Amino acid sequence: GKSLYDEEGAKIVKNLMEKAKKNNVKIILPVDFVTADNFANDAKIQNATVKDGIADDYMGLDIGEESRKLITETICKAKTIVFNGPPGVFEMSNFEKGTKALVEALGKATESGATTIVGG
């Protein structure tokens, strides 16, 4: 789709995933997305999955419902969490649900004794 793509960053993904696996580090990636035809709160919105991909004329602007569930469940079980920025365009109400869900889960995990590192 029209989502931003970091070509340089993409080159290191395979190595990072292998290193994480070797060190028994779990990396959680989204499985679905909230997409839009324009970078605007009033854009046409669709949902997409990793399996089906994002339509050519749309861009991913937030994580979807399944991803929110997967990631928040993982956060609540974790002992250490590194949160490197919001998963969506939280400044727009139609694309803030992912960020809000993850931040709430980070708060719960921290209250339960997890070490939380927030950046991005």
Side-chain angles (χ1 to χ4, degrees), residues 45-115:
I45 297 172
Q46 293 183 351
N47 293 307
T49 64
V50 168
K51 179 183 173 190
D52 296 331
I54 296 174
D56 287 342
D57 53 344
Y58 278 67
M59 61 185 79
L61 296 181
D62 198 4
I63 56 173
E65 188 175 337
E66 288 301 313
S67 295
R68 290 193 302 268
K69 182 179 175 185
L70 171 69
I71 297 169
T72 57
E73 286 175 356
T74 302
I75 287 171
C76 289
K77 295 177 189 173
K79 294 178 185 171
T80 303
I81 304 128
V82 178
F83 184 77
N84 191 30
V89 184
F90 65 91
E91 300 90 346
M92 295 183 206
S93 60
N94 282 325
F95 311 108
E96 68 183 7
K97 291 179 184 172
T99 300
K100 284 188 171 188
L102 272 55
V103 169
E104 287 174 13
L106 287 170
K108 290 177 185 175
T110 303
E111 287 175 2
S112 295
T115 300

